[in-house]
mmCIF file of all heavy atoms in Angstrom:
data_model
loop_
_atom_site.group_PDB
_atom_site.id
_atom_site.type_symbol
_atom_site.label_atom_id
_atom_site.label_comp_id
_atom_site.label_asym_id
_atom_site.label_seq_id
_atom_site.Cartn_x
_atom_site.Cartn_y
_atom_site.Cartn_z
ATOM 1 N N TYR B 25 86.049 327.131 172.902
ATOM 2 C CA TYR B 25 87.227 327.988 172.914
ATOM 3 C C TYR B 25 87.051 329.135 173.905
ATOM 4 O O TYR B 25 85.938 329.457 174.312
ATOM 5 C CB TYR B 25 87.509 328.535 171.506
ATOM 6 C CG TYR B 25 86.401 329.413 170.971
ATOM 7 C CD1 TYR B 25 86.426 330.797 171.154
ATOM 8 C CD2 TYR B 25 85.319 328.854 170.297
ATOM 9 C CE1 TYR B 25 85.409 331.594 170.687
ATOM 10 C CE2 TYR B 25 84.289 329.654 169.824
ATOM 11 C CZ TYR B 25 84.339 331.014 170.015
ATOM 12 O OH TYR B 25 83.316 331.814 169.551
ATOM 13 N N ASP B 29 89.618 338.358 172.767
ATOM 14 C CA ASP B 29 89.565 339.190 171.576
ATOM 15 C C ASP B 29 88.191 339.119 170.925
ATOM 16 O O ASP B 29 87.480 338.108 171.046
ATOM 17 C CB ASP B 29 90.626 338.735 170.568
ATOM 18 C CG ASP B 29 91.957 339.419 170.813
ATOM 19 O OD1 ASP B 29 92.141 339.959 171.912
ATOM 20 O OD2 ASP B 29 92.790 339.411 169.896
ATOM 21 N N THR B 30 87.834 340.181 170.232
ATOM 22 C CA THR B 30 86.576 340.166 169.484
ATOM 23 C C THR B 30 86.802 339.731 168.044
ATOM 24 O O THR B 30 85.861 339.365 167.350
ATOM 25 C CB THR B 30 85.922 341.555 169.495
ATOM 26 O OG1 THR B 30 86.851 342.506 168.974
ATOM 27 C CG2 THR B 30 85.524 341.944 170.913
ATOM 28 N N THR B 31 88.055 339.796 167.601
ATOM 29 C CA THR B 31 88.389 339.409 166.237
ATOM 30 C C THR B 31 89.321 338.205 166.274
ATOM 31 O O THR B 31 90.452 338.306 166.752
ATOM 32 C CB THR B 31 89.075 340.567 165.483
ATOM 33 O OG1 THR B 31 88.241 341.722 165.545
ATOM 34 C CG2 THR B 31 89.301 340.190 164.034
ATOM 35 N N TYR B 32 88.824 337.097 165.786
ATOM 36 C CA TYR B 32 89.607 335.864 165.818
ATOM 37 C C TYR B 32 89.127 334.939 164.712
ATOM 38 O O TYR B 32 88.103 335.179 164.066
ATOM 39 C CB TYR B 32 89.503 335.179 167.192
ATOM 40 C CG TYR B 32 88.094 334.936 167.677
ATOM 41 C CD1 TYR B 32 87.416 333.760 167.368
ATOM 42 C CD2 TYR B 32 87.430 335.893 168.460
ATOM 43 C CE1 TYR B 32 86.125 333.550 167.806
ATOM 44 C CE2 TYR B 32 86.144 335.686 168.903
ATOM 45 C CZ TYR B 32 85.494 334.509 168.582
ATOM 46 O OH TYR B 32 84.204 334.298 169.030
ATOM 47 N N TYR B 33 89.907 333.894 164.480
ATOM 48 C CA TYR B 33 89.560 332.871 163.507
ATOM 49 C C TYR B 33 89.497 331.510 164.212
ATOM 50 O O TYR B 33 90.274 331.255 165.143
ATOM 51 C CB TYR B 33 90.603 332.789 162.392
ATOM 52 C CG TYR B 33 90.628 333.983 161.471
ATOM 53 C CD1 TYR B 33 91.533 335.031 161.674
ATOM 54 C CD2 TYR B 33 89.764 334.062 160.386
ATOM 55 C CE1 TYR B 33 91.560 336.122 160.825
ATOM 56 C CE2 TYR B 33 89.793 335.147 159.528
ATOM 57 C CZ TYR B 33 90.701 336.173 159.755
ATOM 58 O OH TYR B 33 90.725 337.247 158.903
ATOM 59 N N LEU B 34 88.625 330.684 163.715
ATOM 60 C CA LEU B 34 88.524 329.306 164.193
ATOM 61 C C LEU B 34 88.793 328.365 163.023
ATOM 62 O O LEU B 34 88.413 328.647 161.879
ATOM 63 C CB LEU B 34 87.139 329.030 164.769
ATOM 64 C CG LEU B 34 86.820 329.816 166.046
ATOM 65 C CD1 LEU B 34 85.334 329.783 166.335
ATOM 66 C CD2 LEU B 34 87.613 329.245 167.227
ATOM 67 N N ARG B 50 88.293 327.506 157.830
ATOM 68 C CA ARG B 50 88.596 328.678 158.649
ATOM 69 C C ARG B 50 87.345 329.560 158.680
ATOM 70 O O ARG B 50 86.758 329.829 157.636
ATOM 71 C CB ARG B 50 89.760 329.479 158.063
ATOM 72 C CG ARG B 50 90.067 330.763 158.854
ATOM 73 C CD ARG B 50 91.248 331.526 158.307
ATOM 74 N NE ARG B 50 90.930 332.277 157.102
ATOM 75 C CZ ARG B 50 91.704 333.252 156.616
ATOM 76 N NH1 ARG B 50 92.828 333.575 157.234
ATOM 77 N NH2 ARG B 50 91.384 333.881 155.513
ATOM 78 N N ARG B 51 86.931 329.975 159.878
ATOM 79 C CA ARG B 51 85.809 330.900 160.030
ATOM 80 C C ARG B 51 86.263 332.084 160.847
ATOM 81 O O ARG B 51 87.005 331.934 161.820
ATOM 82 C CB ARG B 51 84.621 330.240 160.730
ATOM 83 C CG ARG B 51 84.029 329.048 160.051
ATOM 84 C CD ARG B 51 83.651 329.341 158.623
ATOM 85 N NE ARG B 51 82.634 330.377 158.484
ATOM 86 C CZ ARG B 51 81.335 330.163 158.567
ATOM 87 N NH1 ARG B 51 80.869 328.956 158.814
ATOM 88 N NH2 ARG B 51 80.480 331.147 158.390
ATOM 89 N N ASN B 52 85.794 333.285 160.472
ATOM 90 C CA ASN B 52 86.128 334.434 161.286
ATOM 91 C C ASN B 52 85.013 334.692 162.305
ATOM 92 O O ASN B 52 83.885 334.219 162.153
ATOM 93 C CB ASN B 52 86.433 335.673 160.432
ATOM 94 C CG ASN B 52 85.191 336.285 159.824
ATOM 95 O OD1 ASN B 52 84.250 336.619 160.532
ATOM 96 N ND2 ASN B 52 85.200 336.461 158.527
ATOM 97 N N SER B 53 85.356 335.442 163.318
ATOM 98 C CA SER B 53 84.469 335.616 164.469
ATOM 99 C C SER B 53 83.207 336.403 164.141
ATOM 100 O O SER B 53 82.273 336.431 164.950
ATOM 101 C CB SER B 53 85.225 336.303 165.609
ATOM 102 O OG SER B 53 85.870 337.481 165.159
ATOM 103 N N PHE B 54 83.180 337.032 162.981
ATOM 104 C CA PHE B 54 82.000 337.830 162.632
ATOM 105 C C PHE B 54 81.026 337.079 161.748
ATOM 106 O O PHE B 54 79.976 337.611 161.392
ATOM 107 C CB PHE B 54 82.437 339.122 161.945
ATOM 108 C CG PHE B 54 83.298 339.980 162.826
ATOM 109 C CD1 PHE B 54 84.654 340.116 162.590
ATOM 110 C CD2 PHE B 54 82.752 340.640 163.913
ATOM 111 C CE1 PHE B 54 85.452 340.897 163.411
ATOM 112 C CE2 PHE B 54 83.538 341.427 164.747
ATOM 113 C CZ PHE B 54 84.884 341.555 164.490
ATOM 114 N N ASP B 55 81.361 335.861 161.423
ATOM 115 C CA ASP B 55 80.513 335.086 160.521
ATOM 116 C C ASP B 55 80.018 333.849 161.245
ATOM 117 O O ASP B 55 80.711 332.845 161.319
ATOM 118 C CB ASP B 55 81.309 334.695 159.269
ATOM 119 C CG ASP B 55 80.448 333.949 158.260
ATOM 120 O OD1 ASP B 55 79.235 333.775 158.516
ATOM 121 O OD2 ASP B 55 80.997 333.555 157.229
ATOM 122 N N GLU B 56 78.803 333.908 161.751
ATOM 123 C CA GLU B 56 78.263 332.786 162.510
ATOM 124 C C GLU B 56 77.417 331.851 161.672
ATOM 125 O O GLU B 56 76.795 330.936 162.201
ATOM 126 C CB GLU B 56 77.421 333.299 163.694
ATOM 127 C CG GLU B 56 78.239 333.756 164.870
ATOM 128 C CD GLU B 56 77.389 333.968 166.109
ATOM 129 O OE1 GLU B 56 77.006 332.978 166.751
ATOM 130 O OE2 GLU B 56 77.116 335.144 166.431
ATOM 131 N N GLN B 57 77.401 332.066 160.378
ATOM 132 C CA GLN B 57 76.605 331.179 159.523
ATOM 133 C C GLN B 57 77.198 329.782 159.550
ATOM 134 O O GLN B 57 78.417 329.605 159.481
ATOM 135 C CB GLN B 57 76.597 331.684 158.086
ATOM 136 C CG GLN B 57 75.641 332.842 157.870
ATOM 137 C CD GLN B 57 75.385 333.075 156.410
ATOM 138 O OE1 GLN B 57 76.023 332.496 155.540
ATOM 139 N NE2 GLN B 57 74.429 333.947 156.103
ATOM 140 N N PHE B 68 78.896 327.098 164.328
ATOM 141 C CA PHE B 68 79.629 328.110 165.102
ATOM 142 C C PHE B 68 78.606 328.863 165.944
ATOM 143 O O PHE B 68 77.689 329.479 165.399
ATOM 144 C CB PHE B 68 80.360 329.044 164.149
ATOM 145 C CG PHE B 68 81.085 330.194 164.807
ATOM 146 C CD1 PHE B 68 81.542 330.119 166.108
ATOM 147 C CD2 PHE B 68 81.324 331.359 164.095
ATOM 148 C CE1 PHE B 68 82.207 331.173 166.700
ATOM 149 C CE2 PHE B 68 82.006 332.423 164.667
ATOM 150 C CZ PHE B 68 82.444 332.340 165.964
ATOM 151 N N LYS B 70 78.688 331.680 168.927
ATOM 152 C CA LYS B 70 79.451 332.563 169.816
ATOM 153 C C LYS B 70 78.870 332.569 171.220
ATOM 154 O O LYS B 70 79.597 332.744 172.196
ATOM 155 C CB LYS B 70 79.476 333.990 169.256
ATOM 156 C CG LYS B 70 80.407 334.129 168.062
ATOM 157 C CD LYS B 70 80.367 335.514 167.489
ATOM 158 C CE LYS B 70 81.260 336.466 168.227
ATOM 159 N NZ LYS B 70 81.413 337.743 167.482
ATOM 160 N N VAL B 97 93.764 337.762 165.981
ATOM 161 C CA VAL B 97 94.432 338.701 165.086
ATOM 162 C C VAL B 97 95.468 339.515 165.857
ATOM 163 O O VAL B 97 96.563 339.787 165.355
ATOM 164 C CB VAL B 97 93.387 339.616 164.431
ATOM 165 C CG1 VAL B 97 94.071 340.734 163.652
ATOM 166 C CG2 VAL B 97 92.487 338.808 163.524
#
Side-chain angles (χ1 to χ4, degrees):
Chain B
Y25 63 92
D29 272 17
T30 56
T31 305
Y32 53 90
Y33 291 96
L34 294 165
R50 177 178 77 164
R51 300 306 298 275
N52 74 56
S53 51
F54 299 108
D55 183 2
E56 281 192 77
Q57 282 195 351
F68 176 26
K70 286 177 83 169
V97 172

